[in-house]
Coordinates of all heavy atoms in Angstrom, one line a residue:
M254 N 120.5 270.6 136.3 CA 121.0 269.3 136.8 C 122.3 269.0 136.1 O 122.3 269.1 134.9 CB 119.9 268.3 136.6 CG 120.4 267.0 137.3 SD 118.9 265.9 137.5 CE 118.8 265.1 135.9
S255 N 123.3 268.7 136.8 CA 124.6 268.4 136.2 C 124.7 267.0 135.8 O 124.1 266.1 136.7 CB 125.7 268.8 137.1 OG 125.7 268.1 138.3
P256 N 125.4 266.6 134.9 CA 125.5 265.2 134.5 C 126.4 264.5 135.4 O 127.3 265.0 136.1 CB 126.1 265.2 133.0 CG 126.9 266.6 133.1 CD 126.1 267.4 133.9
T257 N 126.2 263.2 135.7 CA 126.9 262.4 136.4 C 128.1 261.9 135.7 O 127.9 261.3 134.6 CB 126.1 261.2 137.0 OG1 124.9 261.7 137.7 CG2 126.9 260.3 138.0
L258 N 129.3 262.1 136.2 CA 130.5 261.6 135.5 C 131.0 260.4 136.1 O 130.9 260.2 137.4 CB 131.6 262.7 135.6 CG 131.2 264.1 135.0 CD1 132.3 265.1 135.2 CD2 131.0 263.9 133.5
A259 N 131.5 259.5 135.3 CA 132.1 258.3 135.8 C 133.5 258.6 136.5 O 134.1 259.6 136.1 CB 132.5 257.3 134.6
P260 N 133.8 257.9 137.5 CA 135.1 258.2 138.2 C 136.3 258.0 137.3 O 136.2 257.1 136.3 CB 135.2 257.1 139.3 CG 134.1 256.2 139.1 CD 133.2 256.7 138.0
V261 N 137.2 258.9 137.4 CA 138.5 258.7 136.6 C 139.4 257.6 137.0 O 139.6 257.5 138.3 CB 139.3 260.1 136.6 CG1 140.5 259.9 135.8 CG2 138.4 261.3 136.1
R262 N 139.7 256.7 136.2 CA 140.6 255.6 136.5 C 142.0 255.9 136.3 O 142.3 256.5 135.3 CB 140.2 254.4 135.7 CG 138.8 253.8 135.9 CD 138.6 252.6 135.1 NE 137.9 251.6 135.9 CZ 137.7 250.4 135.6 NH1 138.0 250.0 134.4 NH2 137.1 249.6 136.3
D263 N 142.8 255.4 137.1 CA 144.3 255.4 137.0 C 144.7 254.3 136.1 O 144.9 253.2 136.6 CB 144.9 255.4 138.3 CG 146.5 255.5 138.2 OD1 147.0 255.5 137.0 OD2 147.2 255.4 139.3
T264 N 144.7 254.6 134.7 CA 144.8 253.5 133.8 C 146.2 252.9 133.9 O 146.5 251.8 133.6 CB 144.6 254.0 132.3 OG1 145.4 255.1 132.1 CG2 143.1 254.3 132.2
S265 N 147.3 253.7 134.3 CA 148.6 253.1 134.4 C 148.7 252.2 135.4 O 149.4 251.0 135.3 CB 149.6 254.3 134.6 OG 149.5 254.9 135.8
T266 N 148.2 252.3 136.6 CA 148.1 251.4 137.7 C 147.3 250.1 137.2 O 147.7 249.0 137.5 CB 147.5 251.9 139.0 OG1 148.3 253.0 139.4 CG2 147.5 250.9 140.2
L267 N 146.0 250.4 136.7 CA 145.2 249.3 136.1 C 146.0 248.4 135.2 O 145.9 247.2 135.2 CB 143.9 249.9 135.6 CG 142.9 248.9 135.2 CD1 142.6 247.9 136.3 CD2 141.7 249.6 134.6
E268 N 146.6 249.1 134.2 CA 147.4 248.4 133.2 C 148.5 247.6 133.8 O 148.7 246.4 133.4 CB 148.0 249.3 132.2 CG 148.8 248.8 131.1 CD 149.3 249.9 130.1 OE1 148.5 250.8 129.8 OE2 150.4 249.7 129.7
Q269 N 149.2 248.1 134.8 CA 150.3 247.4 135.5 C 149.7 246.1 136.2 O 150.3 245.1 136.0 CB 151.0 248.2 136.5 CG 152.0 247.6 137.3 CD 153.3 247.5 136.5 OE1 153.5 248.0 135.3 NE2 154.3 246.8 137.1
H270 N 148.6 246.2 136.9 CA 147.9 245.2 137.5 C 147.4 244.1 136.6 O 147.6 242.9 136.8 CB 146.8 245.6 138.4 CG 146.4 244.7 139.5 ND1 145.6 245.0 140.5 CD2 146.4 243.3 139.5 CE1 145.3 243.9 141.2 NE2 145.8 242.9 140.6
I271 N 146.9 244.5 135.4 CA 146.4 243.6 134.4 C 147.6 242.8 133.8 O 147.5 241.6 133.7 CB 145.7 244.3 133.3 CG1 144.2 244.7 133.8 CG2 145.6 243.5 132.1 CD1 143.5 245.6 132.9
A272 N 148.7 243.4 133.6 CA 149.9 242.8 133.1 C 150.4 241.8 134.1 O 150.9 240.7 133.7 CB 151.0 243.8 132.7
L273 N 150.4 242.2 135.3 CA 150.8 241.2 136.4 C 149.9 240.0 136.5 O 150.4 238.9 136.6 CB 150.9 241.8 137.8 CG 151.4 241.0 138.9 CD1 152.8 240.6 138.7 CD2 151.3 241.8 140.2
I274 N 148.7 240.2 136.3 CA 147.8 239.0 136.3 C 148.1 238.1 135.0 O 148.2 236.9 135.2 CB 146.3 239.4 136.2 CG1 145.8 240.1 137.5 CG2 145.3 238.2 135.9 CD1 144.5 240.8 137.4
A275 N 148.2 238.7 133.9 CA 148.7 238.0 132.6 C 150.0 237.2 132.9 O 150.1 236.1 132.4 CB 148.7 238.9 131.5
C276 N 150.9 237.8 133.5 CA 152.2 237.2 133.7 C 152.1 236.0 134.8 O 152.9 235.1 134.6 CB 153.2 238.3 134.3 SG 154.9 237.8 134.1
G277 N 151.2 236.1 135.7 CA 151.1 235.1 136.7 C 151.4 235.6 138.0 O 152.5 236.2 138.2
Q278 N 150.5 235.5 138.9 CA 150.7 236.0 140.3 C 151.2 234.9 141.3 O 150.8 233.8 141.1 CB 149.4 236.7 140.8 CG 149.0 237.8 140.0 CD 147.6 238.4 140.5 OE1 146.7 237.7 140.5 NE2 147.8 239.7 141.0
R279 N 152.1 235.4 142.1 CA 152.6 234.4 143.2 C 153.0 235.3 144.3 O 153.4 236.4 144.0 CB 153.6 233.5 142.6 CG 154.8 234.1 142.1 CD 155.8 233.0 141.6 NE 156.9 233.5 141.0 CZ 157.1 233.9 139.7 NH1 156.0 233.7 138.9 NH2 158.2 234.5 139.3
P280 N 153.2 234.8 145.5 CA 153.6 235.5 146.6 C 155.0 236.2 146.4 O 155.8 235.5 145.9 CB 153.6 234.6 147.8 CG 152.7 233.5 147.4 CD 152.7 233.4 145.9
G281 N 155.1 237.5 146.6 CA 156.3 238.1 146.5 C 156.5 238.8 145.1 O 157.4 239.6 144.9
K282 N 155.8 238.3 144.1 CA 155.9 238.9 142.8 C 155.2 240.2 142.7 O 154.0 240.2 142.9 CB 155.4 237.9 141.7 CG 155.7 238.4 140.3 CD 155.3 237.3 139.2 CE 155.6 237.8 137.8 NZ 155.3 236.7 136.9
T283 N 155.8 241.3 142.3 CA 155.3 242.6 142.2 C 155.3 243.2 140.9 O 154.7 244.2 140.7 CB 155.9 243.5 143.3 OG1 157.3 243.7 142.9 CG2 155.8 243.0 144.7
Q284 N 156.1 242.6 139.9 CA 156.1 243.2 138.6 C 156.0 242.2 137.5 O 156.4 241.0 137.7 CB 157.5 243.8 138.4 CG 157.9 244.9 139.4 CD 157.0 246.2 139.1 OE1 156.8 246.5 137.9 NE2 156.5 246.8 140.1
P285 N 155.3 242.5 136.4 CA 155.2 241.5 135.3 C 156.6 241.4 134.5 O 157.4 242.4 134.6 CB 154.1 242.1 134.5 CG 154.2 243.5 134.7 CD 154.6 243.7 136.2
C286 N 156.8 240.5 133.8 CA 157.9 240.4 132.9 C 157.8 241.4 131.8 O 156.7 242.0 131.6 CB 158.1 238.9 132.3 SG 156.7 238.6 131.1
D287 N 158.9 241.6 131.1 CA 158.9 242.7 130.0 C 157.8 242.3 128.9 O 157.2 243.2 128.4 CB 160.2 242.7 129.3 CG 161.2 243.4 130.2 OD1 160.8 244.1 131.2 OD2 162.4 243.3 130.0
S288 N 157.7 241.1 128.6 CA 156.6 240.6 127.5 C 155.3 241.0 128.0 O 154.5 241.6 127.2 CB 156.9 239.1 127.2 OG 155.8 238.8 126.3
C289 N 155.0 240.7 129.1 CA 153.6 240.9 129.7 C 153.3 242.5 130.0 O 152.2 243.0 129.7 CB 153.4 240.2 130.9 SG 153.1 238.4 130.6
R290 N 154.5 243.1 130.3 CA 154.2 244.6 130.4 C 154.0 245.2 129.1 O 153.2 246.2 129.1 CB 155.6 245.1 131.1 CG 155.6 246.7 131.4 CD 156.8 247.2 131.9 NE 157.0 246.6 133.3 CZ 158.0 245.8 133.7 NH1 158.8 245.4 132.7 NH2 158.1 245.4 134.9
R291 N 154.6 244.8 128.0 CA 154.3 245.3 126.7 C 152.9 245.0 126.2 O 152.4 245.8 125.5 CB 155.4 244.8 125.6 CG 156.7 245.4 125.8 CD 157.6 245.0 124.7 NE 157.9 243.5 124.6 CZ 158.9 243.0 125.2 NH1 159.7 243.7 125.9 NH2 159.1 241.6 125.1
K292 N 152.4 243.9 126.7 CA 151.0 243.5 126.3 C 149.9 244.3 127.1 O 148.8 244.2 126.8 CB 150.8 242.0 126.6 CG 151.5 241.0 125.7 CD 151.3 239.7 126.1 CE 152.1 238.7 125.3 NZ 151.9 237.3 125.7
G293 N 150.4 244.9 128.2 CA 149.5 245.6 129.2 C 148.4 246.6 128.5 O 147.3 246.4 128.7
S294 N 148.9 247.4 127.6 CA 148.0 248.4 127.0 C 146.9 247.6 126.1 O 145.8 248.1 126.1 CB 148.7 249.4 126.3 OG 149.4 249.0 125.1
G295 N 147.4 246.6 125.4 CA 146.6 245.9 124.6 C 145.4 245.1 125.4 O 144.3 245.1 125.1
L296 N 146.0 244.6 126.5 CA 145.1 243.7 127.3 C 144.0 244.8 128.0 O 142.9 244.4 128.1 CB 145.8 243.1 128.5 CG 146.7 241.9 128.0 CD1 147.7 241.6 129.2 CD2 145.9 240.8 127.6
L297 N 144.5 245.9 128.4 CA 143.6 246.9 128.9 C 142.5 247.4 127.9 O 141.3 247.4 128.2 CB 144.4 248.2 129.4 CG 143.6 249.3 130.0 CD1 142.8 248.9 131.2 CD2 144.4 250.5 130.3
N298 N 142.9 247.6 126.6 CA 142.0 248.0 125.6 C 140.9 246.9 125.3 O 139.8 247.1 125.2 CB 142.7 248.3 124.3 CG 143.5 249.6 124.4 OD1 143.1 250.5 125.3 ND2 144.5 249.7 123.6
I299 N 141.4 245.6 125.3 CA 140.5 244.5 125.0 C 139.6 244.3 126.2 O 138.4 244.0 126.0 CB 141.3 243.2 124.6 CG1 142.1 243.4 123.3 CG2 140.2 242.1 124.5 CD1 143.1 242.4 123.0
A300 N 140.1 244.4 127.4 CA 139.3 244.2 128.6 C 138.2 245.2 128.6 O 137.1 244.9 129.1 CB 140.2 244.3 129.8
S301 N 138.4 246.4 128.1 CA 137.3 247.5 128.1 C 136.1 247.0 127.2 O 135.0 247.5 127.4 CB 137.9 248.7 127.6 OG 138.1 248.7 126.2
T302 N 136.3 246.1 126.3 CA 135.3 245.5 125.4 C 134.6 244.4 126.1 O 133.5 244.0 125.7 CB 135.8 245.2 124.1 OG1 136.6 243.9 124.2 CG2 136.6 246.2 123.4
G303 N 135.2 243.8 127.1 CA 134.6 242.6 127.8 C 134.8 241.3 127.0 O 134.2 240.3 127.3
A304 N 135.7 241.3 126.0 CA 135.9 240.2 125.2 C 136.9 239.2 125.8 O 138.2 239.4 125.6 CB 136.4 240.6 123.7
A305 N 136.6 238.4 126.8 CA 137.4 237.5 127.5 C 138.2 236.6 126.5 O 139.3 236.3 126.9 CB 136.6 236.8 128.5
D306 N 137.6 236.1 125.5 CA 138.3 235.1 124.6 C 139.4 235.9 123.9 O 140.5 235.3 123.7 CB 137.4 234.7 123.5 CG 136.3 233.6 124.0 OD1 136.7 233.2 125.2 OD2 135.3 233.4 123.4
A307 N 139.3 237.2 123.6 CA 140.3 238.0 123.0 C 141.5 238.2 124.0 O 142.7 238.2 123.7 CB 139.8 239.2 122.4
V308 N 141.1 238.5 125.3 CA 142.1 238.8 126.3 C 142.9 237.5 126.4 O 144.2 237.4 126.5 CB 141.5 239.2 127.6 CG1 142.5 239.2 128.7 CG2 140.8 240.5 127.4
A309 N 142.2 236.3 126.5 CA 142.9 235.0 126.8 C 143.9 234.7 125.5 O 145.0 234.3 125.8 CB 141.8 233.9 126.9
A310 N 143.5 235.1 124.3 CA 144.2 234.7 123.1 C 145.5 235.6 123.1 O 146.6 235.2 122.8 CB 143.4 235.0 121.8
L311 N 145.4 236.9 123.7 CA 146.6 237.8 123.7 C 147.5 237.3 124.8 O 148.8 237.2 124.6 CB 146.2 239.2 123.9 CG 147.4 240.2 124.0 CD1 148.1 240.1 122.8 CD2 146.8 241.6 124.2
I312 N 147.0 236.9 125.9 CA 147.9 236.3 127.0 C 148.6 235.0 126.4 O 149.7 234.9 126.6 CB 147.0 236.0 128.3 CG1 146.4 237.2 128.8 CG2 147.9 235.3 129.3 CD1 145.4 237.0 129.9
C313 N 147.8 234.1 125.9 CA 148.3 232.8 125.6 C 149.3 232.9 124.4 O 150.4 232.2 124.5 CB 147.1 231.9 125.1 SG 147.4 230.1 125.3
G314 N 149.0 233.7 123.4 CA 149.9 234.0 122.4 C 150.3 232.7 121.5 O 151.4 232.7 120.9
T315 N 149.5 231.7 121.5 CA 149.8 230.5 120.8 C 149.4 230.6 119.3 O 149.9 229.9 118.5 CB 149.1 229.3 121.4 OG1 147.6 229.5 121.3 CG2 149.4 229.0 122.8
G316 N 148.5 231.5 119.0 CA 148.0 231.7 117.6 C 147.0 230.6 117.2 O 146.6 230.6 116.1
K317 N 146.6 229.8 118.3 CA 145.7 228.7 118.0 C 144.3 229.3 118.1 O 144.0 230.3 118.8 CB 145.9 227.5 118.9 CG 147.2 226.9 118.6 CD 147.4 225.7 119.5 CE 148.8 225.1 119.3 NZ 149.1 224.0 120.3
A318 N 143.3 228.5 117.7 CA 141.9 229.0 117.8 C 141.4 229.0 119.2 O 140.6 229.9 119.6 CB 140.9 228.0 117.0
S319 N 141.9 228.2 120.1 CA 141.4 228.2 121.5 C 142.6 228.4 122.5 O 143.7 227.9 122.3 CB 140.8 226.8 121.8 OG 140.3 226.9 123.1
S320 N 142.5 229.2 123.4 CA 143.5 229.5 124.4 C 143.5 228.4 125.5 O 142.5 227.8 125.7 CB 143.3 230.9 125.1 OG 143.2 231.9 124.2
C321 N 144.6 228.3 126.2 CA 144.7 227.2 127.3 C 143.8 227.6 128.5 O 143.4 228.8 128.6 CB 146.1 227.0 127.7 SG 146.8 228.5 128.7
H322 N 143.5 226.7 129.3 CA 142.7 226.9 130.5 C 143.3 228.0 131.3 O 142.4 228.9 131.9 CB 142.5 225.6 131.3 CG 141.8 225.8 132.6 ND1 140.5 226.0 132.6 CD2 142.2 225.8 133.9 CE1 140.0 226.2 133.9 NE2 141.1 226.0 134.6
D323 N 144.5 227.9 131.7 CA 145.1 229.0 132.6 C 145.0 230.4 132.0 O 144.6 231.3 132.8 CB 146.7 228.6 132.8 CG 146.9 227.5 133.6 OD1 145.9 227.0 134.3 OD2 148.1 227.0 133.6
C324 N 145.1 230.6 130.7 CA 144.9 231.9 130.1 C 143.5 232.4 130.1 O 143.2 233.6 130.3 CB 145.6 232.0 128.8 SG 147.3 231.8 128.8
K325 N 142.6 231.4 130.0 CA 141.1 231.7 130.1 C 140.8 232.2 131.5 O 140.0 233.1 131.7 CB 140.3 230.5 129.7 CG 140.3 230.3 128.2 CD 139.5 229.1 127.9 CE 139.6 228.7 126.4 NZ 138.9 227.5 126.1
V326 N 141.4 231.5 132.5 CA 141.1 232.0 133.9 C 141.7 233.4 134.2 O 141.1 234.1 134.8 CB 141.8 230.9 134.9 CG1 141.7 231.4 136.3 CG2 141.0 229.6 134.8
K327 N 142.9 233.6 133.7 CA 143.5 235.0 133.9 C 142.7 235.9 133.1 O 142.5 237.1 133.7 CB 145.0 234.9 133.2 CG 145.9 234.1 134.0 CD 147.3 234.1 133.3 CE 148.3 233.2 133.9 NZ 149.6 233.2 133.3
A328 N 142.2 235.7 131.9 CA 141.3 236.6 131.2 C 140.1 237.0 132.1 O 139.7 238.2 132.0 CB 141.0 236.0 129.9
A329 N 139.4 235.9 132.6 CA 138.2 236.2 133.4 C 138.6 237.2 134.6 O 137.8 238.1 134.9 CB 137.6 234.9 133.8
E330 N 139.7 236.9 135.2 CA 140.1 237.8 136.4 C 140.4 239.2 135.9 O 140.1 240.1 136.6 CB 141.4 237.2 137.0 CG 141.8 237.9 138.3 CD 143.0 237.2 138.9 OE1 143.3 236.1 138.6 OE2 143.5 237.8 139.9
I331 N 141.0 239.3 134.7 CA 141.3 240.7 134.1 C 140.0 241.4 133.8 O 139.8 242.6 134.2 CB 142.2 240.6 132.9 CG1 143.6 240.2 133.3 CG2 142.2 241.9 132.1 CD1 144.5 239.8 132.2
I332 N 139.0 240.7 133.3 CA 137.8 241.3 133.0 C 137.0 241.8 134.3 O 136.5 242.9 134.4 CB 136.8 240.4 132.2 CG1 137.5 240.0 130.8 CG2 135.4 241.0 132.0 CD1 137.6 241.2 129.9
R333 N 137.1 241.0 135.3 CA 136.5 241.3 136.7 C 137.1 242.5 137.2 O 136.5 243.4 137.8 CB 136.5 240.1 137.6 CG 135.5 239.1 137.4 CD 135.4 238.0 138.5 NE 136.6 237.4 138.8 CZ 137.1 236.3 138.2 NH1 136.3 235.6 137.3 NH2 138.3 235.7 138.4
L334 N 138.5 242.4 137.1 CA 139.2 243.7 137.7 C 138.9 244.9 136.9 O 138.6 246.0 137.6 CB 140.7 243.3 137.6 CG 141.6 244.6 138.0 CD1 141.6 244.9 139.5 CD2 143.1 244.3 137.6
Y335 N 138.8 244.8 135.6 CA 138.5 246.0 134.8 C 137.1 246.6 135.2 O 136.9 247.8 135.2 CB 138.5 245.7 133.3 CG 138.3 246.9 132.5 CD1 139.3 247.8 132.2 CD2 137.0 247.3 132.1 CE1 139.1 248.9 131.5 CE2 136.8 248.5 131.4 CZ 137.8 249.2 131.1 OH 137.6 250.4 130.4
N336 N 136.2 245.6 135.4 CA 134.9 246.0 135.7 C 134.7 246.4 137.2 O 133.6 246.7 137.6 CB 133.9 244.9 135.4 CG 133.7 244.7 133.9 OD1 133.7 245.7 133.1 ND2 133.4 243.5 133.5
G337 N 135.8 246.4 137.9 CA 135.6 246.9 139.3 C 135.2 245.8 140.3 O 134.8 246.1 141.4
E338 N 135.1 244.6 139.8 CA 134.6 243.5 140.7 C 135.6 242.8 141.5 O 135.3 242.0 142.4 CB 133.9 242.5 139.9 CG 132.7 243.0 139.0 CD 132.2 242.1 138.0 OE1 132.6 240.9 138.0 OE2 131.5 242.6 137.1
A339 N 136.8 243.2 141.4 CA 137.9 242.6 142.2 C 138.8 243.7 142.7 O 138.9 244.8 142.1 CB 138.8 241.6 141.3
E340 N 139.5 243.4 143.7 CA 140.4 244.4 144.3 C 141.9 243.8 144.3 O 142.1 242.7 144.4 CB 140.0 244.7 145.8 CG 139.0 245.7 145.9 CD 139.3 247.0 145.3 OE1 140.4 247.6 145.6 OE2 138.6 247.6 144.5

């Protein structure tokens, strides 16, 4: 019996989409800003752990103990996307 392998993910596309969510989505916007693009790999790595608070803290970048509401919402969306629950 052969082992079941998980599907291979295109991490560059996923990272780009995660960065765009962090940057803020709106109609017609297809690319994240340079700052959010640079955060993309870190956001992807943290999203893989499921730590929404840490994702929100990286997006928010305030250095405060608690992230703002908008960044918490973005973090939850990123975690859902990473887990394959969003398209």
Side-chain angles (χ1 to χ4, degrees):
M254 184 159 86
S255 65
T257 303
L258 299 175
V261 176
R262 291 183 140 187
D263 179 0
T264 56
S265 63
T266 301
L267 184 58
E268 184 178 316
Q269 179 76 9
H270 195 162
I271 286 171
L273 183 59
I274 293 168
C276 195
Q278 295 180 298
R279 62 182 175 271
K282 183 174 182 178
T283 61
Q284 298 292 318
C286 69
D287 289 340
S288 176
C289 290
R290 185 176 292 114
R291 285 190 295 272
K292 292 178 186 178
S294 64
L296 291 167
L297 179 62
N298 288 335
I299 298 169
S301 72
T302 69
D306 289 342
V308 172
L311 182 56
I312 295 168
C313 208
T315 62
K317 295 180 182 175
S319 181
S320 302
C321 71
H322 174 74
D323 289 345
C324 290
K325 288 178 183 178
V326 170
K327 290 176 185 180
E330 185 176 350
I331 287 169
I332 297 295
R333 281 192 303 274
L334 175 68
Y335 184 85
N336 290 328
E338 298 169 15
E340 278 298 313

